[in-house]
């Protein structure tokens, strides 16, 4: 253990790293340093990439990095690791080199529009896990639909009307507190663990408020998937509808895994044997079914190093820091 480790408790060191990352995410000693330093193999995961001047949408829980943050992370990663495809990393974990792999979840259009040109120009391999039910769709996930409602009710939209009170009643938001980013994130966390369909909750309670059309298209289309697969991007499954797999009956788990796999294979013309479990949720049933239908590599959301001892179906990944809370949102 180094001197700092001997003098300061682990909890204090973690707090200091988090505080530093919140105040100075880039440049300087970046958020990636504390995540990958000393690790032999590193699998990074990204969701959305936005242009540097595009403001962050606070009412959204989907991680969204700027292009500057993304390129900085890749450049820093390349200084300490050999960047390879995800399958190659899984195959070479016993070797002497420090390896890294890059992954994207969901299939957002900005993966194709913004990240892909950079990766293709640099000749850097990556893996895209596609939610097949969202291919070419304009409507985002329920988290973004809910975020739009919270944004309207927060005072940023003059036409909110009765929406703030409806949100308080449906989700138990305290009446004295603001309709804030913090309240939105707490609501998303609760909906993920209560079971049922959040989409149904939105439709049932907010059909008169919810935005009916989303423009432009949010997700990659079939032609874009094919174009990436013929270049530097390997394609994997992120299921059909992005459910929490461990909360589903076995028949539904099987259809989510099989149907998405078959659709992607019909597009790219080769076997699709990689799966990323939505939200990181899995259990033994999910693993057994995934192996049985032909998946040989799986990615979790475990935030730790990737070692030779890891099951190929449970590879850990970590996502660079992207959300820096504003003081007003910590209430």
């Amino acid at each position: 253990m180094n001197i700092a480790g001997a003098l300061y408790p682990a909890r204090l060191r973690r707090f200091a790293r988090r505080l530093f990352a919140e105040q100075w995410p880039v440049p300087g000693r970046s958020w990636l340093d504390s995540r990958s330093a000393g690790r032999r193999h590193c699998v990074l995961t990204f969701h959305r990439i936005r242009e540097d001047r595009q403001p962050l949408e606070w009412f959204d829980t989907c991680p969204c990095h700027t292009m500057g943050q993304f390129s900085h992370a890749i450049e820093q990663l390349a200084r300490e690791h050999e960047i390879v495809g995800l399958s190659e990393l899984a195959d070479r974990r016993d070797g002497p080199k420090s390896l890294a792999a890059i992954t994207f979840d969901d299939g957002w259009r900005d993966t194709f529009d913004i990240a892909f040109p950079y990766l293709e120009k640099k000749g850097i391999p990556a893996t895209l896990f596609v939610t097949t039910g969202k291919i070419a769709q304009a409507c985002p996930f329920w988290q973004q639909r809910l975020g739009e409602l919270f944004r309207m009710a927060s005072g940023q939209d003059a036409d909110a009307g009765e929406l703030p009170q409806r949100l308080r009643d449906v989700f138990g938001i305290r009446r004295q507190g603001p309709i804030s980013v913090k309240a939105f994130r707490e609501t998303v966390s609760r909906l993920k663990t209560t079971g049922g369909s959040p989409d149904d909750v939105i439709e049932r309670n907010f059909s008169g408020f919810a935005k009916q059309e989303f423009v432009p298209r949010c997700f990659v289309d079939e032609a874009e998937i094919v174009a990436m697969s013929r270049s530097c991007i390997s394609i994997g499954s992120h299921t059909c509808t992005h459910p929490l797999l461990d909360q589903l009956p076995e028949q539904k788990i099987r259809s989510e895994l099989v149907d998405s796999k078959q659709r992607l294979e019909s597009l790219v013309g080769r076997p699709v044997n990689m799966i990323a479990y939505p939200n990181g949720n899995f259990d033994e049933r999910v693993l057994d079914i995934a192996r049985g239908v032909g998946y040989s590599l799986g990615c979790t959301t475990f935030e730790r190093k990737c070692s030779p001892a890891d099951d190929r179906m449970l590879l850990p990944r970590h996502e660079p820091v992207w959300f820096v809370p504003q003081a007003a949102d910590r209430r």
Side-chain angles (χ1 to χ4, degrees), residues 237 257-265 272-273 293-295:
S237 169
L257 300 184
V258 171
D259 293 352
S260 60
K261 186 178 193 295
Q262 290 179 344
R263 183 173 184 188
L264 292 171
E265 288 176 341
V272 170
N273 58 12
V293 301
Y295 291 101

Side-chain angles (χ1 to χ4, degrees), residues 240-300:
C240 296
T241 65
H242 203 277
L244 303 184
L245 290 171
D246 60 342
Q247 297 183 12
L248 300 180
E250 291 189 8
Q251 184 177 359
K252 183 60 176 175
I253 295 172
R254 184 176 298 275
S255 66
E256 287 281 345
L257 300 184
V258 171
D259 293 352
S260 60
K261 186 178 193 295
Q262 290 179 344
R263 183 173 184 188
L264 292 171
E265 288 176 341
S266 71
L267 286 176
V268 303
R270 61 176 68 97
V272 170
N273 58 12
M274 296 183 289
I275 176 80
Y277 313 109
N279 202 53
N281 286 47
F282 68 90
D283 56 21
E284 287 301 322
R285 299 174 308 137
V286 173
L287 296 179
D288 289 344
I289 293 171
R291 292 187 180 103
V293 301
Y295 291 101
S296 59
L297 188 154
C299 284
T300 71

Side-chain angles (χ1 to χ4, degrees), residues 58-183:
W58 293 100
F59 289 95
D60 192 355
T61 56
C62 184
C64 185
H65 295 84
T66 66
M67 185 58 206
Q69 289 175 322
F70 175 69
S71 61
H72 180 75
I74 304 307
E75 291 165 6
Q76 186 175 11
L77 199 65
R79 288 196 291 268
E80 302 292 336
H81 302 77
E82 178 186 356
I83 300 179
V84 299
L86 184 61
S87 292
E88 185 175 348
L89 181 145
D91 292 339
R92 292 175 52 192
R93 284 175 291 162
D94 285 324
K97 290 188 176 181
S98 295
L99 305 177
I102 301 161
T103 67
F104 297 87
D105 283 2
D106 298 336
W108 294 95
R109 184 178 176 179
D110 46 58
T111 302
F112 178 81
D113 289 343
I114 301 176
F116 173 55
Y118 171 83
L119 295 171
E120 187 175 46
K121 180 179 179 180
K122 298 284 187 179
I124 298 173
T127 298
L128 171 61
F129 292 104
V130 179
T131 303
T132 57
K134 286 296 187 181
I135 292 175
Q137 295 296 303
C139 184
F141 293 110
W142 65 265
Q143 291 93 331
Q144 288 78 47
R145 296 177 64 201
L146 186 65
E148 176 68 11
L149 294 170
F150 270 78
R151 185 198 65 77
M152 291 171 58
S154 68
Q156 300 180 35
D157 194 310
D159 298 325
E162 299 177 359
L163 180 57
Q165 187 59 50
R166 180 73 64 85
L167 288 170
R168 294 181 193 279
D169 292 342
V170 173
F171 298 120
I173 300 171
R174 60 191 179 92
R175 301 189 183 281
Q176 294 79 13
I179 301 294
S180 64
V181 173
K182 180 179 179 182

